[in-house]
Amino acid sequence: MRTVCVYCGSGFGADPIFRDAATALGHSLAAAGIGLVYGGGNVGLMGTVARAVLDGGGHVTGIIPDFLKSRERMLDDVQETIVVHDMHTRKRLMFERSDAFVALPGGIGTLEELVEQMTWAQLGQHTKPILLLSVAGFWTPFLALLDHMRETGFIREGLDPHYLVAQKPEDVVPLLTDAARRAPARPEADALVEERF
């Protein structure tokens, strides 16, 4: 596993523990020699995790749409910044450049990016690990919704999306590394996602 895509909020949220978790995750990625792929901004948890990776000597790739450059204020210190025309291109490149996905606390955009990866995995289009970092139980309501979908028959047996859940940032890298080691390679499917994303 060479790179991890982190989805997270462009704000800090109400609890300082979210910022602490973003910092700790960034330091863990850098210490493990794993590069960060993220949305390119210098604000909120996005900027926090990127700066933590940089502070640890790690590599950061930021991918940001042109219309968000001023709103999310690009982080100029990263080694690689890619400016794209739209959100679809941003998400496609983030997928292509990542070996795994982590969702920190965030808002609607974070949820949308996470669910898209879970959907593609459910449809067998990729086998890259997906992990929810449920700091202070942030993702508990979402996990309860997934349970509700199972109970009501909308996530059917055999179509359950595979995902990991961690409560602590220090657990993320070991869980992802183990999952990546065990995941079957699906180059044809991953190529299909790249074409149709």
Side-chain angles (χ1 to χ4, degrees):
M1 188 173 56
R2 296 165 299 174
T3 56
V4 168
C5 177
V6 175
Y7 302 127
C8 56
S10 58
F12 292 109
D15 192 329
I17 197 172
F18 300 145
R19 187 184 305 203
D20 293 343
T23 299
L25 176 61
H27 289 158
S28 294
L29 292 173
I34 298 171
L36 170 70
V37 177
Y38 86 118
N42 190 22
V43 293
L45 299 186
M46 290 173 57
T48 300
V49 70
R51 284 191 297 275
V53 173
L54 292 171
D55 290 345
H59 188 277
V60 177
T61 298
I63 303 174
I64 191 166
D66 187 65
F67 76 94
L68 283 181
K69 282 195 304 186
S70 59
R71 183 171 167 181
E72 293 186 351
R73 298 197 306 275
M74 290 191 305
L75 182 56
D76 295 326
D77 297 333
V78 305
Q79 291 90 342
E80 182 180 21
T81 298
I82 302 171
V83 180
V84 297
H85 294 298
D86 54 45
M87 293 292 284
H88 296 294
T89 306
R90 178 199 219 181
K91 291 192 294 181
R92 177 179 58 81
L93 286 177
M94 289 172 81
F95 172 83
E96 290 176 1
R97 288 177 169 252
S98 303
D99 298 318
F101 307 93
V102 172
L104 277 166
I108 293 171
T110 301
L111 179 62
E112 186 263 343
E113 290 168 322
L114 167 64
V115 169
E116 185 166 57
Q117 291 305 335
M118 293 175 75
T119 301
W120 281 101
Q122 183 186 45
L123 295 172
Q125 298 302 293
H126 76 83
T127 58
K128 299 177 182 182
I130 301 167
L131 185 144
L132 289 73
L133 181 50
S134 191
V135 181
F138 179 84
W139 290 109
T140 299
F142 175 67
L143 295 169
L145 177 59
L146 293 177
D147 287 339
H148 177 65
M149 290 175 175
R150 290 183 193 96
E151 291 164 4
T152 53
F154 288 99
I155 297 179
R156 298 184 301 282
E157 189 174 345
L159 291 177
D160 211 334
H162 296 286
Y163 55 87
L164 304 161
V165 180
Q167 270 74 51
K168 294 184 272 188
E170 57 266 31
D171 294 334
V172 171
V173 169
L175 283 169
L176 289 180
T177 302
D178 183 60
R181 189 181 304 114
R182 291 184 288 106
R186 294 182 57 90
E188 305 88 356
D190 288 350
L192 180 63
V193 174
E194 292 174 15
E195 292 171 9
R196 296 170 58 185
F197 223 85

